[in-house]
Coordinates of all heavy atoms in Angstrom, one line a residue:
M1 N 16.8 -21.2 6.3 CA 16.1 -20.0 6.2 C 16.9 -18.9 7.0 O 17.4 -19.1 8.0 CB 14.7 -20.1 6.9 CG 13.7 -19.0 6.4 SD 12.1 -19.3 7.2 CE 11.9 -17.7 8.0
T2 N 17.0 -17.8 6.3 CA 17.8 -16.7 7.0 C 16.8 -15.7 7.7 O 15.7 -15.4 7.2 CB 18.6 -15.9 5.9 OG1 17.7 -15.5 4.9 CG2 19.7 -16.8 5.3
D3 N 17.3 -15.2 8.8 CA 16.6 -14.2 9.5 C 16.7 -12.8 8.8 O 17.7 -12.5 8.1 CB 17.1 -14.0 10.9 CG 16.7 -15.1 11.8 OD1 15.7 -15.8 11.5 OD2 17.4 -15.4 12.8
K4 N 15.6 -12.1 8.9 CA 15.5 -10.8 8.3 C 15.4 -9.7 9.3 O 14.7 -9.9 10.3 CB 14.3 -10.7 7.3 CG 14.5 -11.6 6.1 CD 14.5 -10.8 4.8 CE 14.7 -11.8 3.6 NZ 14.8 -11.1 2.4
S5 N 16.1 -8.6 9.1 CA 15.9 -7.5 9.9 C 15.1 -6.5 9.1 O 15.1 -6.5 7.9 CB 17.2 -6.9 10.4 OG 17.9 -7.8 11.2
K6 N 14.4 -5.6 9.8 CA 13.5 -4.6 9.1 C 13.6 -3.3 9.7 O 13.6 -3.1 10.9 CB 12.1 -5.2 9.2 CG 11.1 -4.4 8.4 CD 9.7 -5.1 8.4 CE 8.7 -4.3 7.8 NZ 7.4 -4.9 7.9
C7 N 13.7 -2.2 8.9 CA 13.7 -0.9 9.3 C 12.3 -0.5 9.8 O 11.3 -0.7 9.0 CB 14.1 0.1 8.2 SG 14.0 1.8 8.7
C8 N 12.1 0.0 11.0 CA 10.8 0.2 11.5 C 10.3 1.6 11.0 O 9.1 1.9 11.2 CB 10.7 0.2 13.0 SG 11.9 1.3 13.8
T9 N 11.1 2.3 10.3 CA 10.6 3.6 9.7 C 10.1 3.4 8.3 O 9.0 3.9 8.0 CB 11.8 4.6 9.7 OG1 12.3 4.8 11.0 CG2 11.3 6.0 9.1
C10 N 10.8 2.7 7.4 CA 10.4 2.6 6.0 C 10.1 1.2 5.6 O 9.6 1.0 4.5 CB 11.5 3.2 5.1 SG 13.0 2.1 5.0
G11 N 10.3 0.2 6.4 CA 10.0 -1.2 6.0 C 11.1 -1.9 5.3 O 10.9 -3.1 4.9
Y12 N 12.2 -1.2 5.0 CA 13.3 -1.9 4.2 C 13.8 -3.1 5.0 O 13.9 -3.1 6.2 CB 14.4 -0.9 4.1 CG 15.7 -1.4 3.4 CD1 15.8 -1.5 2.0 CD2 16.8 -1.9 4.2 CE1 16.9 -2.0 1.4 CE2 17.9 -2.4 3.6 CZ 18.0 -2.4 2.2 OH 19.1 -3.0 1.6
E13 N 14.0 -4.2 4.3 CA 14.4 -5.5 4.9 C 15.8 -5.9 4.4 O 16.1 -5.7 3.2 CB 13.4 -6.6 4.6 CG 12.1 -6.5 5.3 CD 11.2 -7.7 5.0 OE1 11.4 -8.4 4.1 OE2 10.3 -7.8 5.8
W14 N 16.6 -6.5 5.3 CA 17.9 -7.0 4.9 C 18.2 -8.3 5.7 O 17.5 -8.5 6.8 CB 19.0 -6.0 5.1 CG 19.2 -5.6 6.5 CD1 20.2 -6.1 7.3 CD2 18.5 -4.6 7.3 NE1 20.1 -5.5 8.6 CE2 19.1 -4.6 8.6 CE3 17.5 -3.7 7.0 CZ2 18.6 -3.7 9.6 CZ3 17.0 -2.9 8.0 CH2 17.6 -2.9 9.3
E15 N 19.1 -9.1 5.3 CA 19.5 -10.3 6.0 C 20.2 -9.9 7.3 O 21.2 -9.1 7.3 CB 20.4 -11.1 5.1 CG 20.5 -12.5 5.4 CD 21.4 -13.3 4.5 OE1 21.2 -13.1 3.3 OE2 22.3 -14.0 5.0
T16 N 19.7 -10.5 8.4 CA 20.3 -10.1 9.7 C 21.7 -10.5 9.7 O 22.1 -11.6 9.3 CB 19.5 -10.9 10.8 OG1 18.1 -10.5 10.7 CG2 20.0 -10.6 12.2
G17 N 22.5 -9.6 10.2 CA 24.0 -9.8 10.3 C 24.7 -9.1 9.2 O 25.9 -8.8 9.3
K18 N 24.0 -8.9 8.0 CA 24.6 -8.2 6.9 C 24.4 -6.7 7.1 O 23.6 -6.2 8.0 CB 23.9 -8.6 5.6 CG 24.1 -10.1 5.3 CD 25.2 -10.3 4.2 CE 25.6 -11.7 4.0 NZ 24.8 -12.4 3.0
N19 N 25.1 -5.9 6.3 CA 24.9 -4.4 6.3 C 23.5 -4.0 5.9 O 23.2 -4.2 4.7 CB 26.0 -3.8 5.4 CG 26.1 -2.3 5.6 OD1 25.2 -1.7 6.1 ND2 27.1 -1.7 5.1
G20 N 22.8 -3.4 6.8 CA 21.4 -3.0 6.5 C 21.3 -1.5 6.1 O 20.3 -0.9 6.1
R21 N 22.4 -0.9 5.7 CA 22.5 0.5 5.4 C 21.6 0.8 4.2 O 21.6 0.1 3.2 CB 23.9 0.9 5.1 CG 24.1 2.4 5.1 CD 25.5 2.8 5.0 NE 25.6 4.1 4.5 CZ 26.8 4.6 4.1 NH1 27.9 4.0 4.2 NH2 26.8 5.8 3.6
H22 N 20.8 1.8 4.4 CA 19.8 2.2 3.3 C 19.4 3.6 3.6 O 19.6 4.2 4.6 CB 18.6 1.3 3.2 CG 17.8 1.4 4.4 ND1 18.1 0.8 5.6 CD2 16.6 2.1 4.6 CE1 17.1 1.1 6.5 NE2 16.2 1.8 5.9
S23 N 18.7 4.2 2.6 CA 18.1 5.5 2.8 C 16.6 5.4 2.9 O 15.9 5.0 2.0 CB 18.4 6.4 1.6 OG 17.6 7.5 1.5
C24 N 16.0 5.7 4.1 CA 14.6 5.7 4.3 C 13.9 6.6 3.3 O 12.9 6.2 2.7 CB 14.2 6.1 5.7 SG 14.7 4.9 7.0
S25 N 14.4 7.8 3.1 CA 13.8 8.8 2.2 C 13.8 8.3 0.7 O 12.8 8.5 0.0 CB 14.4 10.2 2.3 OG 15.7 10.1 1.9
D26 N 14.8 7.6 0.3 CA 14.8 7.0 -1.0 C 13.7 5.9 -1.2 O 13.1 5.8 -2.2 CB 16.2 6.3 -1.3 CG 17.2 7.4 -1.7 OD1 16.9 8.6 -1.8 OD2 18.4 7.0 -1.8
N27 N 13.5 5.1 -0.1 CA 12.5 4.1 -0.2 C 11.1 4.8 -0.2 O 10.2 4.3 -1.0 CB 12.6 3.2 1.1 CG 13.6 2.2 0.9 OD1 14.0 1.8 -0.2 ND2 14.2 1.7 2.0
F28 N 10.9 5.8 0.5 CA 9.6 6.5 0.5 C 9.4 7.2 -0.9 O 8.3 7.1 -1.4 CB 9.5 7.6 1.6 CG 9.4 7.0 3.0 CD1 10.2 7.5 4.0 CD2 8.4 6.0 3.2 CE1 10.0 6.9 5.3 CE2 8.3 5.5 4.5 CZ 9.1 6.0 5.5
K29 N 10.5 7.8 -1.4 CA 10.3 8.4 -2.8 C 10.0 7.3 -3.8 O 9.2 7.6 -4.7 CB 11.7 9.1 -3.2 CG 11.8 10.4 -2.6 CD 13.2 11.0 -3.0 CE 13.7 12.0 -2.0 NZ 15.1 12.3 -2.1
R30 N 10.6 6.1 -3.7 CA 10.3 5.0 -4.6 C 8.8 4.7 -4.5 O 8.1 4.5 -5.6 CB 11.2 3.8 -4.3 CG 11.7 3.1 -5.5 CD 12.7 2.1 -5.1 NE 14.0 2.7 -4.8 CZ 14.8 2.4 -3.7 NH1 14.3 1.5 -2.8 NH2 15.9 3.0 -3.5
R31 N 8.3 4.6 -3.3 CA 6.9 4.2 -3.1 C 6.0 5.3 -3.7 O 5.0 5.0 -4.4 CB 6.5 4.1 -1.6 CG 7.0 2.8 -1.1 CD 6.3 2.6 0.3 NE 7.1 1.6 1.1 CZ 6.7 1.4 2.3 NH1 5.7 2.0 2.9 NH2 7.4 0.5 3.0
I32 N 6.3 6.6 -3.4 CA 5.5 7.7 -4.0 C 5.5 7.6 -5.5 O 4.4 7.8 -6.1 CB 6.0 9.0 -3.4 CG1 5.7 9.1 -1.9 CG2 5.3 10.2 -4.2 CD1 6.4 10.2 -1.2
N33 N 6.6 7.5 -6.1 CA 6.7 7.4 -7.5 C 5.9 6.3 -8.1 O 5.2 6.4 -9.1 CB 8.2 7.3 -8.0 CG 9.0 8.5 -7.8 OD1 8.4 9.6 -7.7 ND2 10.3 8.4 -7.8
K34 N 5.9 5.1 -7.5 CA 5.2 4.0 -7.9 C 3.7 4.3 -7.8 O 2.9 3.9 -8.7 CB 5.5 2.7 -7.1 CG 5.1 1.4 -7.8 CD 5.6 0.2 -7.0 CE 4.9 -1.0 -7.5 NZ 5.0 -2.1 -6.5
A35 N 3.3 4.9 -6.7 CA 1.8 5.2 -6.5 C 1.3 6.2 -7.5 O 0.3 6.0 -8.1 CB 1.6 5.7 -5.0
T36 N 2.1 7.2 -7.7 CA 1.7 8.3 -8.7 C 1.7 7.7 -10.1 O 0.9 8.1 -11.0 CB 2.5 9.6 -8.6 OG1 3.9 9.2 -8.7 CG2 2.3 10.3 -7.3
D37 N 2.6 6.8 -10.4 CA 2.6 6.1 -11.7 C 1.3 5.3 -11.9 O 0.8 5.3 -13.0 CB 3.8 5.2 -11.8 CG 4.0 4.6 -13.2 OD1 4.1 5.4 -14.1 OD2 4.1 3.4 -13.3
I38 N 0.9 4.6 -10.9 CA -0.4 3.9 -11.0 C -1.5 4.9 -11.3 O -2.4 4.6 -12.2 CB -0.7 3.1 -9.7 CG1 0.3 2.0 -9.5 CG2 -2.1 2.6 -9.7 CD1 0.3 1.4 -8.1
A39 N -1.6 6.1 -10.6 CA -2.6 7.1 -10.9 C -2.5 7.6 -12.3 O -3.5 7.8 -13.0 CB -2.4 8.2 -9.9
A40 N -1.3 7.8 -12.8 CA -1.1 8.4 -14.1 C -1.5 7.4 -15.2 O -2.1 7.8 -16.2 CB 0.4 8.8 -14.3
R41 N -1.2 6.1 -15.0 CA -1.5 5.1 -16.0 C -3.0 4.7 -16.0 O -3.5 4.3 -17.1 CB -0.6 3.9 -15.8 CG 0.9 4.2 -16.2 CD 1.8 3.2 -15.7 NE 1.6 1.8 -16.2 CZ 2.1 0.7 -15.6 NH1 2.8 0.8 -14.5 NH2 1.8 -0.5 -16.1
F42 N -3.6 4.6 -14.8 CA -4.9 4.0 -14.7 C -6.0 4.9 -14.1 O -7.2 4.5 -14.2 CB -4.8 2.7 -13.9 CG -3.8 1.7 -14.4 CD1 -2.6 1.5 -13.7 CD2 -4.0 1.0 -15.5 CE1 -1.7 0.6 -14.1 CE2 -3.1 0.0 -16.0 CZ -1.9 -0.2 -15.3
G43 N -5.6 6.0 -13.6 CA -6.5 6.8 -12.8 C -7.7 7.5 -13.6 O -8.6 7.9 -13.0
Q44 N -7.5 7.6 -15.0 CA -8.5 8.3 -15.8 C -9.5 7.3 -16.5 O -10.3 7.7 -17.3 CB -7.9 9.2 -16.8 CG -7.0 10.3 -16.1 CD -7.8 11.2 -15.2 OE1 -8.8 11.8 -15.7 NE2 -7.5 11.3 -14.0
I45 N -9.3 6.0 -16.2 CA -10.2 5.0 -16.9 C -11.6 5.1 -16.3 O -11.7 5.1 -15.1 CB -9.5 3.6 -16.8 CG1 -8.2 3.6 -17.6 CG2 -10.5 2.6 -17.3 CD1 -7.4 2.3 -17.3
D46 N -12.6 5.2 -17.2 CA -14.0 5.3 -16.7 C -14.4 4.1 -15.9 O -14.0 2.9 -16.2 CB -14.9 5.4 -18.0 CG -15.0 6.9 -18.4 OD1 -14.6 7.8 -17.6 OD2 -15.5 7.1 -19.5
G47 N -15.3 4.3 -15.0 CA -15.9 3.2 -14.2 C -15.4 3.3 -12.8 O -14.2 3.3 -12.5
A48 N -16.4 3.4 -11.9 CA -16.1 3.6 -10.4 C -15.3 2.4 -9.9 O -14.4 2.5 -9.1 CB -17.4 3.7 -9.6
H49 N -15.6 1.2 -10.4 CA -14.9 0.0 -10.0 C -13.4 0.0 -10.3 O -12.6 -0.5 -9.6 CB -15.6 -1.3 -10.5 CG -15.9 -1.3 -11.9 ND1 -16.8 -0.5 -12.5 CD2 -15.3 -2.0 -12.9 CE1 -16.8 -0.7 -13.8 NE2 -15.9 -1.6 -14.1
H50 N -13.1 0.6 -11.5 CA -11.7 0.8 -11.9 C -11.0 1.8 -11.1 O -9.9 1.7 -10.7 CB -11.6 1.1 -13.4 CG -12.1 0.1 -14.3 ND1 -11.9 -1.3 -14.0 CD2 -12.7 0.1 -15.5 CE1 -12.4 -2.0 -15.0 NE2 -12.9 -1.2 -15.9
K51 N -11.7 2.9 -10.7 CA -11.1 3.9 -9.9 C -10.9 3.4 -8.5 O -9.9 3.7 -7.8 CB -12.0 5.2 -9.9 CG -12.1 5.9 -11.3 CD -12.6 7.3 -11.2 CE -12.9 7.8 -12.6 NZ -11.8 7.9 -13.5
T52 N -11.8 2.6 -8.0 CA -11.6 1.9 -6.7 C -10.4 1.0 -6.7 O -9.6 1.0 -5.8 CB -12.9 1.1 -6.4 OG1 -14.0 1.9 -6.3 CG2 -12.7 0.4 -5.0
W53 N -10.2 0.3 -7.9 CA -9.0 -0.5 -8.0 C -7.7 0.4 -7.9 O -6.7 0.0 -7.3 CB -9.0 -1.2 -9.4 CG -7.9 -2.1 -9.6 CD1 -7.7 -3.4 -9.2 CD2 -6.7 -1.8 -10.4 NE1 -6.5 -3.9 -9.7 CE2 -5.8 -2.9 -10.4 CE3 -6.2 -0.6 -11.0 CZ2 -4.6 -2.9 -11.0 CZ3 -5.0 -0.6 -11.6 CH2 -4.2 -1.7 -11.6
V54 N -7.7 1.5 -8.6 CA -6.6 2.5 -8.6 C -6.3 2.9 -7.1 O -5.1 2.9 -6.7 CB -6.8 3.7 -9.5 CG1 -5.8 4.7 -9.3 CG2 -6.8 3.2 -10.9
I55 N -7.3 3.3 -6.4 CA -7.1 3.7 -5.0 C -6.5 2.5 -4.2 O -5.6 2.7 -3.5 CB -8.5 4.1 -4.4 CG1 -9.0 5.4 -5.0 CG2 -8.4 4.3 -2.9 CD1 -10.4 5.8 -4.7
D56 N -7.1 1.3 -4.4 CA -6.5 0.2 -3.6 C -5.1 -0.1 -4.0 O -4.3 -0.3 -3.1 CB -7.4 -1.1 -3.9 CG -6.9 -2.3 -3.2 OD1 -6.9 -2.3 -1.9 OD2 -6.4 -3.2 -3.8
Q57 N -4.7 0.0 -5.3 CA -3.3 -0.3 -5.7 C -2.4 0.8 -5.1 O -1.3 0.5 -4.7 CB -3.2 -0.3 -7.2 CG -3.9 -1.5 -7.9 CD -3.4 -2.8 -7.4 OE1 -2.2 -3.0 -7.5 NE2 -4.2 -3.7 -6.9
M58 N -2.9 2.1 -5.1 CA -2.0 3.1 -4.6 C -1.8 3.0 -3.1 O -0.7 3.1 -2.6 CB -2.7 4.5 -4.8 CG -2.7 4.9 -6.3 SD -3.5 6.5 -6.6 CE -2.3 7.6 -5.9
V59 N -2.9 2.6 -2.4 CA -2.8 2.3 -0.9 C -1.9 1.2 -0.6 O -1.0 1.3 0.3 CB -4.2 2.1 -0.3 CG1 -4.1 1.5 1.1 CG2 -5.0 3.4 -0.3
R60 N -2.0 0.1 -1.4 CA -1.1 -1.0 -1.2 C 0.4 -0.6 -1.4 O 1.3 -1.0 -0.6 CB -1.4 -2.2 -2.3 CG -2.6 -2.9 -2.0 CD -2.9 -3.9 -3.1 NE -4.2 -4.5 -3.1 CZ -4.5 -5.7 -2.5 NH1 -3.5 -6.3 -1.9 NH2 -5.7 -6.1 -2.4
T61 N 0.6 0.2 -2.4 CA 2.0 0.7 -2.7 C 2.5 1.5 -1.5 O 3.7 1.4 -1.1 CB 2.0 1.4 -4.0 OG1 1.6 0.6 -5.0 CG2 3.5 1.9 -4.3
L62 N 1.7 2.4 -1.0 CA 2.1 3.4 0.0 C 2.2 2.7 1.4 O 3.1 3.1 2.2 CB 1.2 4.6 0.0 CG 1.2 5.5 -1.2 CD1 0.1 6.5 -1.2 CD2 2.6 6.2 -1.4
T63 N 1.4 1.8 1.7 CA 1.4 1.2 3.0 C 2.3 0.0 3.2 O 2.7 -0.3 4.3 CB -0.1 0.8 3.5 OG1 -0.6 -0.1 2.5 CG2 -1.0 2.0 3.5
G64 N 2.5 -0.7 2.1 CA 3.4 -1.9 2.2 C 2.9 -2.9 3.1 O 1.7 -3.3 3.1
D65 N 3.7 -3.3 4.1 CA 3.3 -4.3 5.1 C 2.2 -3.9 6.0 O 1.6 -4.7 6.7 CB 4.5 -4.8 5.9 CG 5.5 -5.6 5.1 OD1 5.2 -6.0 4.0 OD2 6.6 -5.8 5.6
D66 N 1.9 -2.6 6.0 CA 0.9 -2.0 6.9 C -0.5 -2.1 6.2 O -1.5 -1.6 6.8 CB 1.2 -0.6 7.3 CG 2.4 -0.5 8.2 OD1 2.6 -1.5 9.0 OD2 3.2 0.4 8.2
Y67 N -0.6 -2.6 5.0 CA -1.8 -2.7 4.3 C -2.9 -3.4 5.0 O -4.0 -2.8 5.1 CB -1.6 -3.4 2.9 CG -2.9 -3.5 2.1 CD1 -3.5 -2.4 1.4 CD2 -3.5 -4.7 1.9 CE1 -4.6 -2.5 0.7 CE2 -4.6 -4.9 1.2 CZ -5.2 -3.8 0.6 OH -6.4 -3.9 -0.2
P68 N -2.7 -4.5 5.6 CA -3.8 -5.2 6.4 C -4.3 -4.3 7.5 O -5.5 -4.2 7.8 CB -3.2 -6.4 7.0 CG -2.1 -6.8 6.0 CD -1.5 -5.4 5.6
A69 N -3.4 -3.6 8.2 CA -3.8 -2.6 9.3 C -4.7 -1.5 8.7 O -5.6 -1.0 9.3 CB -2.6 -2.1 10.0
F70 N -4.3 -1.0 7.5 CA -5.0 0.1 6.9 C -6.4 -0.4 6.5 O -7.4 0.3 6.7 CB -4.3 0.5 5.6 CG -5.2 1.4 4.7 CD1 -5.3 2.8 5.0 CD2 -6.0 0.9 3.7 CE1 -6.2 3.6 4.3 CE2 -6.9 1.7 3.0 CZ -7.0 3.0 3.3
V71 N -6.6 -1.6 6.0 CA -7.9 -2.2 5.6 C -8.8 -2.3 6.9 O -9.9 -1.9 6.8 CB -7.7 -3.5 4.9 CG1 -9.1 -4.2 4.8 CG2 -7.1 -3.4 3.5
D72 N -8.2 -2.7 8.0 CA -8.9 -2.8 9.2 C -9.4 -1.4 9.6 O -10.6 -1.2 10.0 CB -8.1 -3.3 10.4 CG -7.9 -4.9 10.3 OD1 -8.7 -5.5 9.5 OD2 -7.1 -5.4 11.0
Y73 N -8.5 -0.4 9.5 CA -8.9 0.9 9.9 C -10.0 1.5 9.0 O -10.9 2.1 9.5 CB -7.6 1.8 9.8 CG -7.8 3.3 9.7 CD1 -8.2 4.0 10.9 CD2 -7.6 3.9 8.5 CE1 -8.4 5.4 10.8 CE2 -7.8 5.3 8.5 CZ -8.2 6.0 9.6 OH -8.4 7.4 9.5
A74 N -9.8 1.3 7.7 CA -10.7 1.9 6.7 C -12.1 1.2 6.8 O -13.1 1.8 6.7 CB -10.2 1.7 5.3
S75 N -12.1 -0.1 7.1 CA -13.4 -0.9 7.1 C -14.2 -0.4 8.3 O -15.5 -0.6 8.2 CB -13.1 -2.4 7.2 OG -12.4 -2.8 6.1
E76 N -13.6 0.1 9.3 CA -14.4 0.5 10.5 C -15.3 1.6 10.2 O -16.4 1.8 10.8 CB -13.5 0.9 11.6 CG -12.9 -0.3 12.3 CD -11.8 0.1 13.3 OE1 -11.8 1.3 13.7 OE2 -11.1 -0.8 13.8
D77 N -15.0 2.5 9.2 CA -15.8 3.7 8.9 C -16.6 3.6 7.7 O -17.3 4.5 7.3 CB -14.8 4.9 8.8 CG -14.2 5.3 10.1 OD1 -14.9 5.1 11.1 OD2 -13.1 5.7 10.1
I78 N -16.6 2.4 7.0 CA -17.5 2.2 5.8 C -18.9 2.0 6.3 O -19.2 1.3 7.2 CB -17.0 1.0 5.0 CG1 -15.6 1.4 4.4 CG2 -18.0 0.7 3.9 CD1 -15.0 0.2 3.6
G79 N -19.8 2.6 5.6 CA -21.3 2.5 5.9 C -21.9 3.8 6.1 O -21.3 4.7 6.6
E80 N -23.2 3.9 5.9 CA -23.9 5.1 6.0 C -24.5 5.3 7.4 O -24.8 6.4 7.8 CB -25.1 5.2 4.9 CG -24.5 5.2 3.5 CD -25.6 5.0 2.5 OE1 -26.8 5.1 2.8 OE2 -25.3 4.7 1.3
D81 N -24.7 4.3 8.1 CA -25.4 4.4 9.4 C -24.4 4.2 10.5 O -24.7 3.5 11.5 CB -26.5 3.3 9.5 CG -27.5 3.5 8.4 OD1 -27.9 4.7 8.1 OD2 -27.9 2.5 7.7
G82 N -23.4 4.9 10.5 CA -22.4 4.8 11.5 C -21.4 3.7 11.3 O -21.5 2.9 10.4
P83 N -20.4 3.7 12.2 CA -19.3 2.7 12.0 C -19.8 1.3 12.2 O -20.5 0.9 13.2 CB -18.4 3.1 13.2 CG -18.9 4.3 13.8 CD -20.3 4.5 13.4
F84 N -19.5 0.5 11.3 CA -19.7 -1.0 11.4 C -18.7 -1.6 10.4 O -18.3 -1.0 9.5 CB -21.1 -1.4 11.1 CG -21.6 -1.2 9.7 CD1 -21.5 -2.2 8.8 CD2 -22.2 0.0 9.4 CE1 -21.9 -2.0 7.5 CE2 -22.6 0.2 8.1 CZ -22.5 -0.8 7.1
R85 N -18.4 -2.9 10.7 CA -17.4 -3.5 9.8 C -18.0 -3.9 8.5 O -19.0 -4.4 8.4 CB -16.8 -4.7 10.6 CG -16.0 -4.4 11.8 CD -15.1 -5.5 12.2 NE -14.1 -5.7 11.2 CZ -13.0 -5.0 11.1 NH1 -12.8 -3.9 11.9 NH2 -12.1 -5.2 10.2
D86 N -17.2 -3.7 7.5 CA -17.6 -4.1 6.2 C -16.3 -4.4 5.4 O -15.2 -4.3 6.0 CB -18.3 -2.9 5.4 CG -19.2 -3.5 4.3 OD1 -18.9 -4.6 3.8 OD2 -20.2 -2.8 4.0
E87 N -16.4 -4.8 4.2 CA -15.2 -5.2 3.5 C -14.7 -4.1 2.7 O -15.4 -3.4 2.0 CB -15.6 -6.4 2.5 CG -16.1 -7.6 3.2 CD -15.2 -8.7 3.1 OE1 -14.4 -8.8 2.1 OE2 -15.2 -9.6 4.0
W88 N -13.4 -3.9 2.8 CA -12.7 -2.9 2.0 C -12.8 -3.4 0.5 O -12.6 -4.5 0.2 CB -11.2 -2.8 2.4 CG -10.3 -2.1 1.5 CD1 -9.4 -2.6 0.6 CD2 -10.2 -0.7 1.3 NE1 -8.7 -1.6 -0.1 CE2 -9.2 -0.4 0.4 CE3 -10.8 0.4 1.9 CZ2 -8.9 0.9 0.0 CZ3 -10.5 1.7 1.6 CH2 -9.5 1.9 0.6
D89 N -13.2 -2.4 -0.4 CA -13.4 -2.8 -1.8 C -12.1 -2.6 -2.6 O -11.5 -1.5 -2.6 CB -14.5 -1.8 -2.3 CG -14.9 -2.2 -3.7 OD1 -14.3 -3.1 -4.4 OD2 -16.0 -1.7 -4.2
C90 N -11.6 -3.7 -3.2 CA -10.4 -3.7 -3.9 C -10.6 -3.3 -5.4 O -9.7 -3.1 -6.1 CB -9.7 -5.0 -3.9 SG -9.2 -5.5 -2.2
G91 N -11.9 -3.1 -5.8 CA -12.2 -2.7 -7.2 C -11.9 -3.8 -8.2 O -11.6 -4.9 -7.8
I92 N -11.9 -3.4 -9.5 CA -11.7 -4.4 -10.6 C -10.6 -3.8 -11.5 O -10.7 -2.6 -11.9 CB -13.0 -4.6 -11.4 CG1 -14.1 -5.3 -10.4 CG2 -12.7 -5.5 -12.6 CD1 -15.4 -5.3 -11.0
A93 N -9.6 -4.6 -11.8 CA -8.5 -4.1 -12.6 C -9.0 -3.7 -14.0 O -9.8 -4.4 -14.6 CB -7.4 -5.2 -12.7
P94 N -8.6 -2.6 -14.5 CA -9.0 -2.2 -15.9 C -8.4 -3.1 -17.0 O -7.4 -3.8 -16.7 CB -8.5 -0.8 -16.0 CG -7.5 -0.5 -15.0 CD -7.7 -1.6 -13.9
Ligands
ZN1 ZN1 14.4 2.8 6.7

């Protein structure tokens, strides 16, 4: 198994010891393009559960490895009677 190094700005990973040169802004642009592509392809499909799926897929794309931390953060504020833990809704794929 090879060790991996990771850019703490954009999440780009490379084999430790190898050249890890990359463009953080290119990685961010790639993520944004992927997220907006999901919105363009699936964002207008009827059904709240499908729109919830689109939001979840966009968040996964944009947050990458930080997705579990996002779900923790988002789950804290779900609910009508003040903050309590609930499950982040991943929706249903169209
Ligand atoms: Zn980077």
Side-chain angles (χ1 to χ4, degrees):
M1 200 178 124
T2 55
D3 283 337
K4 294 239 176 186
S5 296
K6 186 175 172 184
C7 174
C8 56
T9 301
C10 73
Y12 177 83
E13 289 185 342
W14 67 94
E15 200 177 312
T16 301
K18 297 257 171 92
N19 187 346
R21 192 169 157 191
H22 67 282
S23 164
C24 293
S25 64
D26 283 353
N27 281 334
F28 288 133
K29 280 181 205 158
R30 220 171 283 130
R31 281 193 202 176
I32 291 167
N33 287 341
K34 197 175 166 197
T36 53
D37 186 56
I38 291 166
R41 287 163 63 197
F42 305 107
Q44 300 298 305
I45 296 169
D46 276 345
H49 50 290
H50 293 325
K51 296 195 192 296
T52 302
W53 179 86
V54 169
I55 291 168
D56 180 65
Q57 292 299 306
M58 291 178 74
V59 167
R60 285 175 192 266
T61 301
L62 292 169
T63 57
D65 289 346
D66 293 328
Y67 178 74
F70 169 84
V71 169
D72 282 347
Y73 161 75
S75 297
E76 284 174 11
D77 290 327
I78 293 175
E80 293 168 17
D81 301 315
F84 64 93
R85 294 199 66 77
D86 204 335
E87 300 248 331
W88 170 255
D89 189 349
C90 297
I92 298 169

